[in-house]
Amino acid sequence: MVVQVTELTLSDLSIEMDDFRSDLNTYLSSQAVWKGQLTTMTSQTLIDIASAVGTFDQSRLLRAYEDAFAETAQNEDAIRAITIMQGLRMTRKLPAVAYASIVSPVTVTLDPYTQFTVAGSYFFNREQIAMVANVSQTVPLYQGKIVSYVMNGLGTEYQAGVSEEDSSEVSDVDVVVRINGVIIPKTAGNMWNYRAQPAWADLTKEDGRLNVQFGNSVFGSMPLIQDVVVVSYVLTDGDNSNNTITVNKKVAVNGFSDISGVMTTNPTGGTPITPVAVYKNVASGSFGTNLSAVTRSQYIGIINTYPGIIDAVTQAQREIDPMDLNYMNVIRVSALISS
């Protein structure tokens, strides 16, 4: 008896691993023998082998599309993942500014981040306002609602607090962190450059939420259990509030009912979040692939030998632990997989 065997063309199959396995399994189930007289008893082994090959090829295709290097980065999720994993923060919105003329019947001082309301919209001041009785003055007011939350320290390293609001609603520069009533400075980078100094880092999450990151006992601040941490931030509409009509609208100050005023301009200068594409050069540049001893081609050669890995994140001693000499001259490579 002659058994008719149809050949399977692998190039016609899907590159998606699950579909690849399903299509191959369907084909083998319908055939009595494999070309070359391999019986169906070996079909599962063939499926596993072919799937491994398929996954390997798929990882190459994904890498070509979602590469973390500047010249090929395309996918927003991949860029965000690389940015976050390397400790780089993504910018959020900036509030628009308008001017108001205000007057108080008594001498009073308004602290920074006092809440103002104008025709149902929220505004605030960034600088202290010293008012003299019955003397009108013009002040800049920024669009945004002030939010504060209180938490106790945990006494552990690298504590964090994350805002509930997403979509980058938190103003990019209007975050104040206090520990036991003392304002803690914000780092310009990671904690390593704040040795024996209090500090916190602003690391925006991939969904746009504020991520307040503390340090350890050596770098930055490590709030203890008895410490009270107050994080105050501003929710803003960014560029959406530009050119809204506020001229001649009345101004009210929360907690100071005697102060009155009127807006003299419309808000301008609010900005949206920075597009994700901007970070593909920043994130990939932080890999050091062009300046370090390990070259980009070496990364690709190593990474592509492992199925399912679409990219990698590297860290030097400074990013791992600046004080641990075990990491001197060491580069840690962490895989980023498709899942």
Side-chain angles (χ1 to χ4, degrees):
M1 181 178 69
V2 178
V3 178
Q4 297 294 327
V5 178
T6 59
E7 293 188 6
L8 177 66
T9 304
L10 293 178
S11 60
D12 292 337
L13 298 181
S14 169
I15 65 169
E16 296 295 331
M17 187 180 70
D18 292 339
D19 294 337
F20 185 98
R21 290 175 62 96
S22 177
D23 292 345
L24 183 58
N25 190 40
T26 300
Y27 170 81
L28 292 177
S29 299
S30 66
Q31 301 298 320
V33 296
W34 186 269
K35 187 175 182 180
Q37 305 305 307
L38 294 176
T39 67
T40 54
M41 294 177 62
T42 61
S43 63
Q44 188 59 46
T45 300
L46 287 170
I47 290 173
D48 292 338
I49 293 175
S51 294
V53 175
T55 305
F56 177 75
D57 289 337
Q58 183 184 23
S59 70
R60 285 178 173 271
L61 292 170
L62 285 171
R63 184 173 179 80
Y65 181 65
E66 298 184 355
D67 203 304
F69 296 97
E71 61 271 28
T72 56
Q74 299 290 333
N75 183 272
E76 287 196 357
D77 289 338
I79 296 171
R80 287 179 184 273
I82 295 297
T83 303
I84 296 300
M85 290 175 72
Q86 292 194 91
L88 300 175
R89 62 175 299 275
M90 294 178 287
T91 62
R92 300 181 298 271
K93 297 177 181 178
L94 288 175
V97 60
Y99 287 85
S101 177
I102 58 176
V103 63
S104 170
V106 296
T107 297
V108 66
T109 298
L110 301 181
D111 292 330
Y113 296 98
T114 297
Q115 189 74 77
F116 292 70
T117 55
V118 179
S121 296
Y122 292 101
F123 287 82
F124 64 95
N125 59 311
R126 283 179 177 164
E127 304 295 334
Q128 185 183 76
I129 302 175
M131 304 193 67
V132 178
N134 300 313
V135 176
S136 177
Q137 61 177 298
T138 300
V139 296
L141 297 180
Y142 298 85
Q143 185 275 321
K145 181 179 180 181
I146 300 171
V147 177
S148 294
Y149 69 88
V150 181
M151 58 184 182
N152 290 107
L154 300 176
T156 58
E157 296 187 343
Y158 299 110
Q159 302 165 49
V162 180
S163 66
E164 295 182 356
E165 299 81 8
D166 56 12
S167 303
S168 297
E169 295 175 354
V170 177
S171 170
D172 197 47
V173 296
D174 297 297
V175 180
V176 178
V177 176
R178 294 179 175 87
I179 298 181
N180 298 327
V182 178
I183 296 178
I184 304 301
K186 181 176 70 173
T187 70
N190 291 329
M191 294 291 178
W192 67 270
N193 54 357
Y194 275 81
R195 176 176 170 81
Q197 298 181 61
W200 62 279
D202 182 355
L203 301 177
T204 306
K205 291 181 66 64
E206 63 276 6
D207 57 4
R209 288 185 292 172
L210 167 68
N211 183 8
V212 175
Q213 178 75 64
F214 294 101
N216 56 27
S217 58
V218 179
F219 299 98
S221 300
M222 188 176 77
L224 303 177
I225 295 176
Q226 66 269 26
D227 291 338
V228 177
V229 181
V230 180
V231 179
S232 301
Y233 56 91
V234 170
L235 302 181
T236 183
D237 295 329
D239 59 328
N240 291 331
S241 61
N242 288 342
N243 300 317
T244 56
I245 305 301
T246 58
V247 172
N248 297 324
K249 301 289 186 180
K250 291 183 178 181
V251 175
V253 186
N254 288 13
F256 298 88
S257 57
D258 290 340
I259 297 178
S260 60
V262 63
M263 298 293 283
T264 58
T265 68
N266 294 322
T268 59
T271 66
I273 60 174
T274 301
V276 175
V278 170
Y279 298 101
K280 71 177 184 178
N281 292 326
V282 177
S284 60
S286 295
F287 271 75
T289 54
N290 296 321
L291 299 178
S292 66
V294 183
T295 66
R296 177 179 182 276
S297 60
Q298 287 175 305
Y299 277 127
I300 295 175
I302 295 173
I303 293 169
N304 276 343
T305 62
Y306 296 93
I309 297 177
I310 62 174
D311 236 310
V313 175
T314 64
Q315 294 174 303
Q317 179 187 2
R318 189 176 75 179
E319 286 80 29
I320 302 171
D321 188 343
M323 298 300 295
D324 192 341
L325 298 183
N326 291 324
Y327 290 107
M328 182 179 292
N329 298 324
V330 170
I331 296 177
R332 175 190 286 168
V333 180
S334 305
L336 177 65
I337 60 176
S338 57
S339 60

